[in-house]
């Protein structure tokens, strides 16, 4: 079976996210890295692309050049990943969707709710996939959590508790560090800093696992470092559309926390706990029984978990392999569309444009509620009300 062709915009030399995407896309042999516009500096992007193995005529200087170069080719790329600065996501994603390309966009998908609604409508109109890289939902045991909830192991879900707290921006002396400063500048980051950066990962994972979307929220946002305009810590109370209560804490000043993405789900018949820093173990406490530790790769897990694990039990699987599961899902979706068949249900888990839109609506809702001293506000985008 021939590989699908893949292209990337952004993620150039020195990028934090670029290598994870290239590892993830290539891991299962489903995609071939065929084209790229990897840097905002045209010559640096062309040079780096060729060093990574791209042919000179498909190592482009910028995304517009890549669009023009690819759209007329018989062997055009099947999927384009957008891994550029946040404010450029909408324009690039929109242009490639309009020209018939499938897109995987880094989060946040857009900077405004209105832009997000435009992308959702455009994806529906063109019939092209627009996925959003909430890559942590690619972890095998996160997918097993979702399967356990869906098949009723926990009964009705009462409460979900999500955290994404780290301490890497806790030093007030970093106020002039350009890699940190922009995140708290409304002109560059928008209406939210920490929640838009990390909190939406925790919120999306909670929604993904319990199969419900945030309906209302109340937020307490604060800048613990006085020089910052935008928040570096937020506590958010949520009500989901299926009746579940949500609690979400996100912080960038929690010294001693490293990555800090965790999820706990509590139902009528049991509770689950998973942490991204220990992704091979899922803690399961059935009501009235002893605590059980579910290991990634063990027998008799769900089809969703089995499909998304690659190495034997006891060996670590990390973030690039979680990304690889998103790419594997997308490859299956693209091939199913080409073949005119239904895709494998165990692969139908990649985050959609609708997820990106709901996240952006939540960002604006958190900012609004924070300014109004925690007043409860609607967390849904107008399109879904």
């Amino acid at each position: 079976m021939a590989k699908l062709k893949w292209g990337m915009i952004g993620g150039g030399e020195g990028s934090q996210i670029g290598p994870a995407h290239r590892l993830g896309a290539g891991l299962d042999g489903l995609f071939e890295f065929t084209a790229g516009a990897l840097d905002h500096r045209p010559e640096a992007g062309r040079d780096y692309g060729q060093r990574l193995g791209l042919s000179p005529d498909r190592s482009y200087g910028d995304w517009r050049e890549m669009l023009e170069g690819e759209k007329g080719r018989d062997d055009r790329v099947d999927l384009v990943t957008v891994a550029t600065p946040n404010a450029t996501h909408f324009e690039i994603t929109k242009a490639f969707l309009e020209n018939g390309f499938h897109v995987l966009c880094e989060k946040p998908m857009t900077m405004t709710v209105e832009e997000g609604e435009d992308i959702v409508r455009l994806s529906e109109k063109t019939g092209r996939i627009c996925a959003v890289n909430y890559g942590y939902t690619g972890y095998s045991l996160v997918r097993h959590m979702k399967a356990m909830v869906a098949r009723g192991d926990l009964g009705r879900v009462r409460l979900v508790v999500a955290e994404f707290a780290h301490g890497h921006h806790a030093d007030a002396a970093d106020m002039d560090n350009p890699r940190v400063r922009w995140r708290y500048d409304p002109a560059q980051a928008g209406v939210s800093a920490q929640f838009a950066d990390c909190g939406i990962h925790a919120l999306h994972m909670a929604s993904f696992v319990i199969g419900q979307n945030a309906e209302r929220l109340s937020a307490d946002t604060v800048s613990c470092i006085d020089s910052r305009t935008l928040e570096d810590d937020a506590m958010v109370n949520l009500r989901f559309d299926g009746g579940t209560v949500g609690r979400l804490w996100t912080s960038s000043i929690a010294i001693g926390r490293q990555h800090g993405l965790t999820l706990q789900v509590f139902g009528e018949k049991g509770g689950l706990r998973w942490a991204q820093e220990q992704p091979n173990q899922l803690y399961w406490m059935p009501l009235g029984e002893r605590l059980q530790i579910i290991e990634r790769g063990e027998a008799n897990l769900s089809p969703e978990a089995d499909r998304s694990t690659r190495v034997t039990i006891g060996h670590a699987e990390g973030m690039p392999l979680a990304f690889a599961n998103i790419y594997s899902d997308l490859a299956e979706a693209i091939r199913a569309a080409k073949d005119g068949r239904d895709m494998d249900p165990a692969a139908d888990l990649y985050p959609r444009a609708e997820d990106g839109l709901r996240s952006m609506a939540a960002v604006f809702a958190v900012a609004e509620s924070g300014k109004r001293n925690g007043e409860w506000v609607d967390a849904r985008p107008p399109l879904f009300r």
Side-chain angles (χ1 to χ4, degrees), residues 8-171:
M8 188 174 194
I9 303 168
E13 192 165 16
S15 163
Q16 183 179 25
I17 204 70
H21 276 286
R22 288 189 286 275
L23 287 167
L27 187 65
D28 295 315
L30 300 172
F31 288 99
E32 177 185 0
F33 186 27
T34 308
L38 304 179
D39 201 294
H40 68 281
R41 300 163 298 170
E43 290 309 314
R46 290 190 184 100
D47 175 70
Y48 187 52
Q50 290 176 57
R51 282 190 278 131
L52 290 175
L54 297 180
S55 62
D57 65 321
R58 301 183 85 169
S59 187
Y60 299 100
D62 60 44
W63 70 265
R64 291 181 177 87
E65 183 182 310
M66 179 170 162
L67 178 59
E68 289 302 312
E70 290 296 312
K71 70 181 184 181
R73 299 182 68 111
D74 293 334
D75 61 345
R76 57 155 52 187
V77 291
D78 296 287
L79 175 69
V80 175
T81 292
V82 178
T84 54
N86 296 355
T88 67
H89 290 177
F90 171 69
E91 181 182 20
I92 299 172
T93 298
K94 181 174 184 286
F96 276 85
L97 287 173
E98 287 174 335
N99 283 275
F101 293 89
H102 301 296
V103 177
L104 170 61
C105 183
E106 262 299 330
K107 65 87 193 166
M109 183 178 74
T110 61
M111 295 293 285
T112 70
V113 175
E114 293 77 14
E115 289 174 347
E117 292 186 337
D118 285 348
I119 292 297
V120 168
R121 292 189 181 102
L122 183 58
S123 178
E124 292 174 349
K125 178 181 176 181
T126 61
R128 300 291 91 181
I129 292 168
C130 180
V132 185
N133 191 43
Y134 292 107
Y136 302 114
T137 58
Y139 277 103
S140 176
L141 289 180
V142 172
R143 295 181 167 204
H144 187 61
M145 291 175 79
K146 179 179 179 66
M148 290 181 69
V149 170
R151 70 192 185 195
D153 293 6
L154 282 73
R156 182 177 65 85
V157 176
R158 294 168 170 163
L159 172 67
V160 59
V161 180
E163 295 182 0
F164 198 155
H166 65 82
H168 300 304
H169 300 164
D171 189 350

Side-chain angles (χ1 to χ4, degrees), residues 296-313:
R296 184 209 51 78
E298 69 181 34
N300 301 315
L301 296 185
S302 61
E304 293 85 349
D306 291 341
R307 187 183 185 279
S308 56
T309 191
R310 293 171 182 78
V311 298
T312 54
I313 190 170

Side-chain angles (χ1 to χ4, degrees), residues 85-87 108 110-112 180-197 200 229-231 360 363-364 367:
N86 296 355
T110 61
M111 295 293 285
T112 70
V180 175
R181 185 181 61 228
W182 75 269
R183 298 175 184 274
Y184 303 93
D185 177 5
Q188 299 181 73
V191 299
S192 169
Q194 180 59 20
F195 185 81
D197 186 29
I200 58 174
T229 302
L230 298 176
E231 88 287 350
M360 188 47 55
V363 166
F364 277 83

Side-chain angles (χ1 to χ4, degrees), residues 15 20 44 202 214 237 239 275 292 298:
S15 163
N237 291 310
R239 298 294 185 271
Q292 302 174 22
E298 69 181 34

